[in-house]
Amino acid sequence: SIPAANLTGALPAISGASLTNLPAGGKFLQIIQDTRTSQLSYSSHSQFNSISGLSVTITPSASTSKILVMVSMTQACTTSTMTIYKLLRGSTFLLPTTGSATVSGTDYEGTFAGKLTGTRGTPACFNFLDEPNTTSATTYSLQVMHNSGTWSLNQRDGNYAGSSTIHAIEVGA
């Protein structure tokens, strides 16, 4: 123990520049977010519809960076329905599985799928770690397909209200 009276002067500045043997990568370099609070509805069935107003554009700082896309939506439908979501990088469909769903005799593939069994708002959340291998501006967007009723984003008939977000997070390699 050192008596406080023996401590004088200022402490030297500390810099991390001399630190070595630390693991590289895994750092969040930038985060881009888009939020949609207004309602969007689709009544057309068995076709993919773009979820307008819910997309992000990010420009990776290195071609080795990964982009973590996080989606959180409030959704509902007027009837029980199956929903399939596609995550797109530009016009490229990002498919993490080899599964598909059959709707009206046609196979549909999606990044995320589920079933709505009630008319109240229900969350739909999913993540995707992409490796775009570019330093050009890259846009991530969403599409939805359902097989019955009217699908709604964020609110429906005053039964509920919510918001939906999409995040693109650049992760350093």
Side-chain angles (χ1 to χ4, degrees), residues 29-67:
L29 303 179
Q30 61 175 315
I31 301 173
I32 308 295
Q33 173 184 306
D34 191 17
T35 300
R36 182 179 176 122
T37 57
S38 59
Q39 181 181 13
L40 174 68
S41 296
Y42 290 115
S43 297
S44 56
H45 304 140
S46 304
Q47 70 182 39
F48 281 95
N49 296 290
S50 294
I51 301 177
S52 62
L54 198 58
S55 66
V56 288
T57 300
I58 189 167
T59 303
S61 59
S63 61
T64 55
S65 292
K66 296 180 182 180
I67 305 297

Side-chain angles (χ1 to χ4, degrees), residues 1-169:
S1 136
I2 302 172
N6 291 349
L7 298 175
T8 60
L11 292 174
I14 298 174
S15 167
S18 299
L19 298 176
T20 59
N21 297 323
L22 296 176
K27 297 175 177 68
F28 289 177
L29 303 179
Q30 61 175 315
I31 301 173
I32 308 295
Q33 173 184 306
D34 191 17
T35 300
R36 182 179 176 122
T37 57
S38 59
Q39 181 181 13
L40 174 68
S41 296
Y42 290 115
S43 297
S44 56
H45 304 140
S46 304
Q47 70 182 39
F48 281 95
N49 296 290
S50 294
I51 301 177
S52 62
L54 198 58
S55 66
V56 288
T57 300
I58 189 167
T59 303
S61 59
S63 61
T64 55
S65 292
K66 296 180 182 180
I67 305 297
L68 175 60
V69 181
M70 301 171 64
V71 177
S72 176
M73 296 180 289
T74 301
Q75 60 170 351
C77 198
T78 56
T79 62
S80 181
T81 188
M82 177 188 64
T83 55
I84 301 173
Y85 297 94
K86 280 186 178 181
L87 177 63
L88 300 154
R89 179 196 335 112
S91 60
T92 302
F93 166 41
L94 302 175
L95 178 66
T97 69
T98 57
S100 65
T102 302
V103 177
S104 302
T106 303
D107 283 338
Y108 291 94
E109 296 176 317
T111 308
F112 177 80
K115 183 161 181 77
L116 292 169
T117 56
T119 59
R120 300 279 180 188
T122 304
C125 304
F126 61 94
N127 305 320
F128 187 85
L129 186 60
D130 188 29
E131 298 181 45
N133 193 28
T134 187
T135 56
S136 298
T138 304
T139 300
Y140 293 91
S141 61
L142 300 162
Q143 294 180 342
V144 63
M145 190 273 294
H146 69 292
N147 67 342
S148 66
T150 299
W151 176 89
S152 296
L153 182 73
N154 294 340
Q155 61 188 30
R156 188 192 69 77
D157 297 340
N159 281 342
Y160 70 93
S163 62
S164 299
T165 60
I166 182 170
H167 294 85
I169 303 169

